[in-house]
């Protein structure tokens, strides 16, 4: 179950990354098309070379190719996601980015006491079976007393020499006790003790494996949280640079190639930010899934 949830989570967030990157590419295409109109107007007026407009047109086509690749990848992942979840999810469906920060904080606080994984239930049931077996061994050592009774009517009755029909009955008490069984009970108790130790050892090893498994998720969460603040600063700087570049391009001071370079720098910064945003949510979801907690997306 945990592995299935992890597979679903991977597919879900892969779709989210492609969805977010597509939105950024579409924004760039809209801006480049606006600048292409400016360059085409200059070419028509004879104040710019045709290559200025062609440069922007080529870049728009390249960005549309990138969008097509993202759409193809997203469609393939949606097929996988639909198959895993048993639900029909189409390209028209926009998946939401879950906010799992509060759940992660609670889970990190109660990490040592969480027992949401189904394996813990299995360990508990194994201990219950051993307790019942221990109780059975104790009962086996105690004397057992049985009451019995029997009645009937026939010829002969209790007297085998009688010739007449008669009724009869028998009643009594039977005691069964085996004070010596050649050490069988002692060996059974030792076997139960070993089995309890095995269950405890397996549970401790499982807890350690979970702790090691979530260590990478926690490290990724902390790293991505720190990276996002830097991403915001980088995007803000790139936006100011592009704004200045847009003014200069409008005045004809720089070429289309210069504008495309600055636009690409901003796009890369925005792609990094949205990717880190989705990856942070994915790391949080993986952390909760590893602990056995259900993630509602």
């Amino acid at each position: 179950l945990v592995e299935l949830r992890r597979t679903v989570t991977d597919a879900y967030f892969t779709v989210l990354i492609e969805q977010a990157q597509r939105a950024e590419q579409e924004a760039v295409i809209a801006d480049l098309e606006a600048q292409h109109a400016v360059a085409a107007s200059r070419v028509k007026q004879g104040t710019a070379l045709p290559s200025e407009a062609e440069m922007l047109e080529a870049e728009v086509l390249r960005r549309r190719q990138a969008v097509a690749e993202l759409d193809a990848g997203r469609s393939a992942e949606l097929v996988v996601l639909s198959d895993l979840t048993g639900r029909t999810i189409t390209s028209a469906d926009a998946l939401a980015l879950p906010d799992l920060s509060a759940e992660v904080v609670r889970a990190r606080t109660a990490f040592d006491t969480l027992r949401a994984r189904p394996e813990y239930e299995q360990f508990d049931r194994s201990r219950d079976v051993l307790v019942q077996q221990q109780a059975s061994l104790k009962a086996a050592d105690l004397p057992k007393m049985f009451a019995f009774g029997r009645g009937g009517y026939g010829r002969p009755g209790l007297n085998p020499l009688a010739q007449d029909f008669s009724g009869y009955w028998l009643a009594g008490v039977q005691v069964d006790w085996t004070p010596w069984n050649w050490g069988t009970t002692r060996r059974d108790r030792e076997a139960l003790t070993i089995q309890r130790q095995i269950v405890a050892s397996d549970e401790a090893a499982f807890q350690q494996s979970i702790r090691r498994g979530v260590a990478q998720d926690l490290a990724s969460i902390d790293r991505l949280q720190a990276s996002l603040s830097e991403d915001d600063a980088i995007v803000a700087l790139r936006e100011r640079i592009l704004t200045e570049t847009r003014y200069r391009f409008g005045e004809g001071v720089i070429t289309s190639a210069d504008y495309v370079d600055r636009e690409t720098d901003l796009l890369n910064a925005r792609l990094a930010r949205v990717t880190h945003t989705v990856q942070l949510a994915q790391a949080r979801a993986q952390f909760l899934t590893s602990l056995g907690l259900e993630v509602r997306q």
Side-chain angles (χ1 to χ4, degrees):
L1 179 60
V2 173
E3 290 302 321
L4 176 60
R5 288 180 178 177
R6 190 172 284 119
T7 303
V8 172
T9 297
D10 289 340
Y12 186 89
F13 284 100
T14 298
V15 174
L16 281 181
I17 288 177
E18 292 167 341
Q19 182 176 290
Q21 290 180 346
R22 187 187 193 283
E24 295 296 340
Q25 292 283 5
E26 288 287 359
V28 169
I29 289 174
D31 182 61
L32 289 175
E33 287 177 338
Q35 304 311 315
H36 175 263
V38 174
S41 176
R42 289 178 183 167
V43 172
K44 186 176 182 180
Q45 295 173 2
T47 58
L49 295 175
S51 60
E52 289 294 305
E54 292 169 352
M55 174 70 182
L56 290 167
E57 183 178 0
E59 188 64 17
V60 168
L61 293 175
R62 191 169 73 89
R63 296 302 177 190
R64 286 177 177 167
Q65 285 181 335
V67 169
E69 291 176 3
L70 289 171
D71 286 342
R74 184 172 183 268
S75 297
E77 288 296 330
L78 286 175
V79 172
V80 174
L81 191 59
S82 297
D83 183 63
L84 290 172
T85 60
R87 300 178 180 179
T88 302
I89 307 174
T90 66
S91 298
D93 298 322
L95 304 187
L97 183 67
D99 183 5
L100 305 173
S101 55
E103 288 86 344
V104 169
V105 171
R106 286 194 294 268
R108 294 184 78 162
T109 302
F111 179 77
D112 293 329
T113 58
L114 277 176
R115 295 174 62 87
R117 289 283 293 261
E119 290 86 349
Y120 286 116
E121 181 70 18
Q122 182 179 359
F123 293 134
D124 291 338
R125 296 291 74 78
S126 297
R127 274 189 288 267
D128 290 342
V129 170
L130 294 176
V131 169
Q132 294 298 325
Q133 291 178 347
Q134 181 69 29
S136 298
L137 286 178
K138 291 181 179 179
D141 290 339
L142 299 176
K144 299 177 180 62
M145 181 176 295
F146 306 93
F148 66 91
R150 185 178 64 184
Y153 180 81
R155 187 179 65 177
L158 291 178
N159 183 4
L161 301 178
Q163 298 298 315
D164 300 326
F165 283 91
S166 64
Y168 64 90
W169 61 271
L170 291 173
V173 176
Q174 178 181 343
V175 177
D176 185 11
W177 183 37
T178 306
W180 180 260
N181 58 10
W182 303 98
T184 300
T185 302
R186 175 180 56 80
R187 290 192 295 271
D188 289 342
R189 288 196 182 101
E190 290 175 351
L192 288 177
T193 299
I194 293 173
Q195 291 177 19
R196 284 195 297 268
Q197 292 173 350
I198 291 174
V199 172
S201 177
D202 289 345
E203 184 175 15
F206 178 70
Q207 288 175 328
Q208 288 300 320
S209 69
I210 291 180
R211 188 179 297 275
R212 291 191 298 269
V214 301
Q216 183 61 46
D217 294 328
L218 292 175
S220 296
I221 290 172
D222 295 338
R223 174 181 59 83
L224 290 167
Q225 285 176 336
S227 295
L228 280 175
S229 60
E230 297 175 352
D231 288 336
D232 290 337
I234 293 172
V235 169
L237 290 171
R238 293 297 185 188
E239 286 177 344
R240 288 199 291 269
I241 292 172
L242 183 62
T243 298
E244 179 181 334
T245 303
R246 188 176 291 115
Y247 289 143
R248 297 176 65 189
F249 181 73
E251 295 172 355
V253 178
I254 61 174
T255 64
S256 297
D258 294 327
Y259 186 85
V260 169
D261 288 342
R262 302 293 80 77
E263 183 76 73
T264 301
D265 291 339
L266 175 58
L267 174 63
N268 290 337
R270 285 177 171 171
L271 290 177
R273 182 172 64 180
V274 298
T275 300
H276 290 161
T277 300
V278 176
Q279 287 176 343
L280 175 58
Q282 182 175 9
R284 288 169 172 166
Q286 293 285 24
F287 170 69
L288 296 174
T289 299
S290 297
L291 295 181
L293 301 174
E294 185 176 0
V295 178
R296 297 198 174 274
Q297 301 166 348

